Amino acid sequence: MTDAVGPLWRASQAFRLITLVYAVSYQVASVPYYSNGRLSWFFVASMAVWTGISAMLLSRPTVARWKVVLADQVVVIALMASTRLVTDHDWYSTHQTLPTTLWATNAVISAAILFGPKGGIASGILLSVVSAVVRDQVDLDLWTDATAPVLVSVGLALGLASNTATRAHAELERAARLAAITEERERLARQVHDGVLQVLALVRRRGREIGGAAGELAELAGEQEVALRMLISEQGVPTPSGEDVDLRSLIGKQVSATVSLSAPGEPVLVNHDVADELSAAVSTALSNVSLHAGEGARAYVLLEDLGDVVVVSVRDDGCGIPVGRLAEAEAEGRMGVSKSIVGRIRTLGGTVELDTGEGSGTEWEIRVPKGTA
């Protein structure tokens, strides 16, 4: 898996090596003023060894970086504290600590990349306080010294950069997945259309022409054809769950020569998951019109945004549903109405009303509370 903040880690370790050079040059210039120069070189050598180890470990995404980052904080604090072992008060109270502020910044950078701005700021504050204690500057305002502003600012900036890189990487991966899904959907749609759908359409057409038992097969083939077309269409590029989408666009995809849509001029925004369920319920209602309303029947979809309620009406001018037919269909195991329409909407906390009768067409009125939507 690609490391989202890998470039930041690599750049920070290059910076770590550069700051080591500065810290060594500072040591060369300052060692004549130390009370224990030999011990100071031991600490500088330890700093160089840790720089190499930490740079190598943090550059690898397979390493448990949080352990290295925590160890980094401990090493930096220990080296800061060692300043008192190699210099006297007059020196350490007016100069940088032994590993220098610039090298100590690496610990803040690592915390910021791993834990974000909060972790970076926390590390910056911690090291600023340690620096003030070691240099015996606690009685002063920390912000009068450059150490605290530099460390905290670096922690904030790198933390924000890390969060931005992580979000950008997630969006890029999502876009790649959606592109792959879309390509696969289109490939499957072509294969299904060239095979299964054409056969089902042929069975439906010839079965209706023959009539009798073949007519029943035609009806079942028609139902499966519509269901399969719906399944393919629902595999389109998804909107992230939780985001709002315009319900008009989803229902508008179902408009055809026999299906009309009336909708507000302004977007009807509902939650993505709710919009999917509403659209699926409308698709089922329109499928029933195609299969059962009779030849030449037309369907009319009305979408209304009433402020606190979204209302979708699906009306047709077909032959209507005879009394008791829905109960028979459910008993036969056909769940198009009971599950695909009524069940979906009840799950959303909405209501469904059906107005029909033999010879009078059919009208579904679907209401979903805007609070849910």
Side-chain angles (χ1 to χ4, degrees), residues 134-305:
V134 169
R135 296 167 58 223
D136 198 20
Q137 300 294 319
V138 180
D139 57 325
L140 299 179
D141 184 357
L142 288 177
W143 295 100
T144 61
D145 180 35
T147 302
V150 168
L151 294 181
V152 174
S153 298
V154 168
L156 174 62
L158 267 296
L160 292 174
S162 176
N163 284 357
T164 300
T166 301
R167 287 195 298 268
H169 183 265
E171 287 296 318
L172 182 60
E173 285 193 333
R174 174 179 170 273
R177 287 196 301 270
L178 294 184
I181 290 173
T182 301
E183 183 178 352
E184 180 65 11
R185 176 187 63 84
E186 292 177 350
R187 185 185 68 81
L188 290 175
R190 289 193 298 269
Q191 292 182 351
V192 171
H193 181 271
D194 293 340
V196 180
L197 288 178
Q198 289 185 350
V199 172
L200 290 174
L202 176 62
V203 172
R204 182 177 65 167
R205 184 172 65 255
R206 294 300 300 276
R208 286 178 175 175
E209 293 175 355
I210 297 173
E216 295 181 5
L217 290 177
E219 182 178 348
L220 293 174
E223 291 179 355
Q224 295 307 310
E225 179 190 358
V226 172
L228 189 54
R229 290 185 186 277
M230 288 173 55
L231 179 61
I232 294 174
S233 66
E234 289 173 357
Q235 301 308 307
V237 178
T239 303
S241 179
E243 292 188 8
D244 289 344
V245 296
D246 187 359
L247 188 57
R248 301 177 309 170
S249 62
L250 285 181
I251 297 179
K253 295 177 181 179
Q254 304 176 56
V255 172
S256 65
T258 58
V259 178
S260 302
L261 171 64
S262 296
E266 298 295 326
V268 181
L269 298 177
V270 298
N271 179 273
H272 166 261
D273 299 325
V274 175
D276 273 352
E277 293 297 293
L278 280 170
S279 179
V282 172
S283 294
T284 301
L286 293 176
S287 298
N288 288 335
V289 174
S290 174
L291 294 172
H292 307 299
E295 295 291 337
R298 292 184 57 85
Y300 306 89
V301 181
L302 174 63
L303 173 61
E304 300 175 275
D305 185 353

Side-chain angles (χ1 to χ4, degrees), residues 71-89:
D72 208 12
Q73 312 298 310
V74 174
V75 170
V76 170
I77 292 174
L79 287 174
M80 281 184 168
S82 70
T83 304
R84 291 203 173 192
L85 299 178
V86 299
T87 67
D88 54 29
H89 183 272

Side-chain angles (χ1 to χ4, degrees), residues 34-71:
Y34 291 166
S35 58
N36 194 335
R38 290 184 179 181
L39 184 59
S40 70
W41 279 113
F42 169 77
F43 291 133
V44 170
S46 301
M47 178 180 61
V49 171
W50 175 249
T51 297
I53 294 174
S54 59
M56 180 181 63
L57 294 177
L58 292 174
S59 298
R60 298 180 179 180
T62 56
V63 173
R65 285 174 171 152
W66 68 270
K67 295 181 180 179
V68 183
V69 171
L70 292 181

